[in-house]
Amino acid sequence: MHFSLSPTQQLLILLLLILCSAFFSAAEISLAASRRIKLQVMADEGDEHAKEILALQLRPGQFVTAVQIGINAVAILAGAVGESALGPSLHDWISPFYKGPWLEPLTTTLSFLVVTGMFILFADLLPKRLAMLAPERLARRLVRPLHGCIVLFKPIVWIFNTLSDKLISLFGLPAQRTDELTFDDISAVVDAGAEAGVLPDTEYHLIENVFELESRLVSSAMTTRESIAYLTLQETEQEIREQIAQLAHSRFLVCDDEIDRIVGYVESKDLLARILNDEPLTLKGAPWIKPVLTIPDSLTLSELLNHFRASREDIAIVLNEYALVVGLITLNDVMSTVMGDLVNDNQRQIVKRDDNSWLIDGLTPVETVLRALDIEALPEDSSYETLAGFMMYSLRRMPKLTDAVSYGGYKFEVVDIDHHRIDQLLVTRLKDPAKEEAAPAAAD
């Protein structure tokens, strides 16, 4: 093809084509990579550019078609202009060294390689990498010029967009982009923020604990049956006074003779008011006994919050499948689970002795142990909720003092038992995890 243009003019046209191709490449990647949530926040703040980007993302076929038309048109023109723009100069540079029969093919080949290399580097790689680094910022700058191209190519865009929609529907594929945010997506964003240092460790663990509410059962945060303080209808006034004096609780469970026959609960302030007013403390038929919320032990902490919200209560009794009381849980227990290590040190369930050993309460939830020891998972962890449950599951019997289990590069040893309940475990890091025993190491 012959152009009646000077080599300088042809070179300027080639550079202009590179810029046009770079524009289309950057526009395509920036609009596709822009995060819809971030754009929505910007649009809610009145950013018109963000609104236009969101509108284009709902109709991706339009801007993708316009971009491809532009890129292919530029490529065709570049192929025609490139050889004539660079050919004479390359011919002049090579001819002093070689004037044989391969001069023209060599010049044409070098022109093709140089033009292709320039387009790959300046019109493709660099614009796309910049667009991936700051997609929303770049998309805001390019959305209106791209919208002008869509209008300019409207007939061609309509034809190709219609054909592509027909083919997509033929294969049963979605025609529009969907931005369904999943739990895994949120977790990935939070993890990335923590790794990048944007999210402080305290806030990261707080968010992580909130996510765990969906998977942790109420049994992992409740006060167990044997630790519940309760009053019975059969107790005398003197016995009730002694209970109040010995146990500093704001509320007491009220039962009929035994803990599994629940009547309700009383507020300590109501009891103290009756004592100060010299009124009898008889619990039988007392109108100030409030009904208590009962829940199954299969509920998650997240589901428990919904029950608290619906009933306007902040205390619940946990029952098993046989309707026996297994524990008591309050809203404060759930909040303590969320706060994690931010609670008072005296309430911490994991005490780090040194870099290789920890004292851990037997009732510590498995998720907390995994995070503290940096273990991915414990075997069959769906079968138990606490570290004590892990020991009983591994040993297949009730543990005794000095019973130990080795797993994941750590040794879990029972060091304190209180009425068959594992009170404390000593966890030590094994010096040579490759030699750890797969089977539990039981006491004699």
Side-chain angles (χ1 to χ4, degrees), residues 143-157:
V143 63
R144 288 186 176 173
L146 182 60
H147 195 271
C149 293
I150 294 173
V151 174
L152 181 63
F153 303 147
K154 191 171 184 178
I156 305 175
V157 169

Side-chain angles (χ1 to χ4, degrees), residues 218-230:
V218 292
S219 55
S220 66
M222 69 183 183
T223 300
T224 54
R225 177 189 177 99
E226 64 271 13
S227 300
I228 296 176
Y230 66 95

